[in-house]
Amino acid sequence: MTSSTRPGAHHPSSVPATTDELVKELERVRAENRQLERALASHATIDRAIGVLTVLGRISPDDGFTVLREISQHTNVRLSAVAEHLLAHARGAELPDVLLGELHAALARHAGAAGSSARCGVDAAAPAPHRCDAVSPCRADRSSARSPRSAS
């Protein structure tokens, strides 16, 4: 019999001998399944947020992940939560001020390397809240009037 490369891994050939062992194994497998489902959903959310950042900030996907990670680290907000906020923002929701400021700072840091303006077009000193359009740059700095979509 070969040894497992993973601590706590079970060999397919080892069958639980008792009902209690079988119940414990079932609980372990269900817990692992829930964890994998959460990880998969979180990964998909993060990937979509990176896509928003690449369009909004005109940066590479690698820089998009770096921006997302920096926002998370600098605001002490979980990466998946930052991603969820950015996706909601791309659909018209307001971005919390702390995330907005950090988004602009992170995009500015990474835009310099790309040689383009990666800001979403919002003046960081502009009155909050605002919303960015994921397809075109944010228009909040063009006027203080809110767009008809965000006024609802």
Side-chain angles (χ1 to χ4, degrees):
M1 191 173 241
T2 61
S3 66
S4 173
T5 58
R6 194 177 79 181
H10 297 275
H11 295 286
S13 60
S14 65
V15 177
T18 67
T19 303
D20 287 341
E21 289 175 351
L22 187 58
V23 168
K24 285 180 184 178
E25 178 65 9
L26 179 61
E27 289 171 356
R28 185 195 66 77
V29 169
R30 284 181 174 166
E32 184 177 344
N33 188 45
R34 284 190 301 271
Q35 180 183 3
L36 290 171
E37 287 173 347
R38 283 191 304 269
L40 185 61
S42 176
H43 184 77
T45 300
I46 290 166
D47 281 347
R48 288 192 306 272
I50 290 169
V52 167
L53 288 171
T54 61
V55 171
L56 198 65
R58 297 180 190 99
I59 56 177
S60 73
D62 286 342
D63 282 342
F65 178 73
T66 301
V67 164
L68 192 63
R69 187 185 71 232
E70 287 177 3
I71 294 169
S72 174
Q73 290 173 341
H74 294 172
T75 61
N76 199 28
V77 176
R78 285 181 306 116
L79 187 71
S80 60
V82 172
E84 289 169 3
H85 279 291
L86 286 173
L87 290 175
H89 185 60
R91 291 187 303 267
E94 296 170 358
L95 193 61
D97 289 343
V98 66
L99 295 181
L100 175 64
E102 210 38 63
L103 169 65
H104 287 254
L107 285 174
R109 285 190 297 273
H110 293 280
S116 68
S117 173
R119 291 179 55 109
C120 65
V122 173
D123 179 2
H130 83 280
R131 65 166 230 62
C132 298
D133 184 331
V135 176
S136 61
C138 178
R139 293 163 281 173
D141 62 335
R142 293 185 190 162
S143 74
S144 60
R146 298 179 66 125
S147 69
R149 279 185 6 185
S150 64
S152 56

